Amino acid sequence: MSGPGTDPSGETRIAGVIGWPVRHSRSPAIHNAAYRALGLDWRYVAFPVPPGAVPAALAGVRALGIEGLSVTMPHKGAAAAAVDRLSADAAALGAVNSVHRDGELLIGDNTDGGGFVDSLAAEGVDPAGRRCVVLGAGGAARAVIRALALAGAAEVVVINRDARRASIAAALAGPEGRVGDATALAGADLLVNATPVGMGDDAAVAIDPGPLPAHAVVADLVYHPRQTPLLVAAEACGLRTVGGIGMLVHQAARQLEAWTGLAPPIDAMAAAVDG
Ligand code: NAP
């Protein structure tokens, strides 16, 4: 008899994550906790895949019948180029963080932006009709910018050091997107930090949240530490905050749902983040 918590058998199904490096990824803990909670005889493992080897890794997914593959840094662009078909999100972003099989085809998707909006919803925050400010224009920022516009944001202002990247990112929000600066905070309902500022031992505050209106919500994609310097500063101003763990859990939850067809056990997945 095989199942969650027992040794794998001939029936065990495999999913995993490719990245470089990947050994510190929290994804195996999050996905395996979900399989246990659902009673699925699945296992999720980390595959260290060096740069240049993504096409070979995806050929392996096909050949080995791997059920689902998460894709993390630095492979999201290479995976987008190597799959057979892209979802609308993955095509717009040029980045894939989730691969599943549809018969012989490998389908690339991007669950980062949807996962972020899901994490807001879990905290009772709806971006529809809201004026949003996003700090950063990298991969995570672009996913969030597009998702906020799709969720009905009234405006998505992008603040970034590199002006060219800021314009490219703002365009992902369509007519609602524009490049701006710190003066946008005074009229904002939602501020999102999508830069690495405040990560780990970095005590820097990504931006002074002081000018935000009293009703504004401040979200940080950085999840280590959970209480980032920006979130500490926002709470000191009396503002509501949303941490980055929720996005980490919900982007994984969307992957799990696509691969298994089952409703993701969010609480079990969230509890597994800290291991
Ligand atoms: P990325 O592609 O390298 O982009 C980083 C962005 O941050 C760039 O726009 C860069 O600006 C800006 N930036 C970097 N250092 C900065 C600084 N000192 N001051 C101001 N701006 C700075 O990174 P990413 O993949 O988008 O990830 C960004 C952050 O989001 C990381 O901390 C990552 O851990 C987090 N993240 C969290 C989740 C989650 O599930 N919670 C998911 C994905 C990412 P320039 O363009 O000017 O260089």
Side-chain angles (χ1 to χ4, degrees):
M1 170 93 185
S2 170
T6 65
D7 288 338
S9 76
E11 310 226 335
T12 303
R13 294 159 82 173
I14 297 297
V17 54
I18 59 169
W20 188 262
V22 76
R23 56 184 301 209
H24 296 297
S25 168
R26 297 309 299 155
S27 295
I30 295 169
H31 283 269
N32 283 313
Y35 303 157
R36 282 194 299 276
L38 292 169
L40 287 179
D41 184 12
W42 285 45
R43 301 293 189 282
Y44 182 107
V45 292
F47 299 110
V49 170
V54 171
L58 292 183
V61 168
R62 221 188 292 267
L64 298 172
I66 287 171
E67 302 292 343
L69 191 72
S70 308
V71 180
T72 188
M73 300 308 293
H75 295 324
K76 294 182 180 186
V83 294
D84 299 308
R85 213 176 270 165
L86 294 170
S87 70
D89 285 328
L93 298 167
V96 158
N97 81 333
S98 176
V99 178
H100 67 273
R101 288 184 299 123
D102 180 3
E104 292 297 302
L105 298 181
L106 293 184
I107 316 294
D109 192 12
N110 194 308
T111 65
D112 280 334
F116 173 69
V117 170
D118 290 348
S119 79
L120 292 181
E123 301 291 329
V125 177
D126 180 358
R130 303 292 175 190
R131 293 161 302 174
C132 307
V133 175
V134 177
L135 305 179
R142 290 197 293 269
V144 163
I145 289 162
R146 174 175 157 84
L148 287 171
L150 287 175
E155 181 178 59
V156 184
V157 179
V158 179
I159 302 177
N160 193 54
R161 293 181 307 195
D162 182 297
R164 198 179 124 292
R165 269 199 288 277
S167 304
I168 293 168
L172 287 163
E176 281 73 39
R178 71 174 172 89
V179 176
D181 57 28
T183 60
L185 266 64
D189 305 305
L190 173 66
L191 170 69
V192 185
N193 175 40
T195 76
V197 177
M199 192 161 77
D201 295 331
D202 180 8
V205 177
I207 198 166
D208 173 15
L212 286 163
H215 70 269
V217 175
V218 177
D220 203 330
L221 303 198
V222 173
Y223 54 82
H224 177 71
R226 284 186 181 233
Q227 273 301 91
T228 65
L230 174 64
L231 297 185
V232 170
E235 283 181 10
C237 295
L239 301 168
R240 285 183 63 192
T241 61
V242 178
I245 294 284
M247 174 175 172
L248 183 68
V249 169
H250 283 277
Q251 58 80 29
R254 283 182 170 233
Q255 296 182 357
L256 180 118
E257 190 165 1
W259 302 344
T260 66
L262 300 174
I266 298 292
D267 290 347
M269 297 174 84
V273 171
D274 289 329

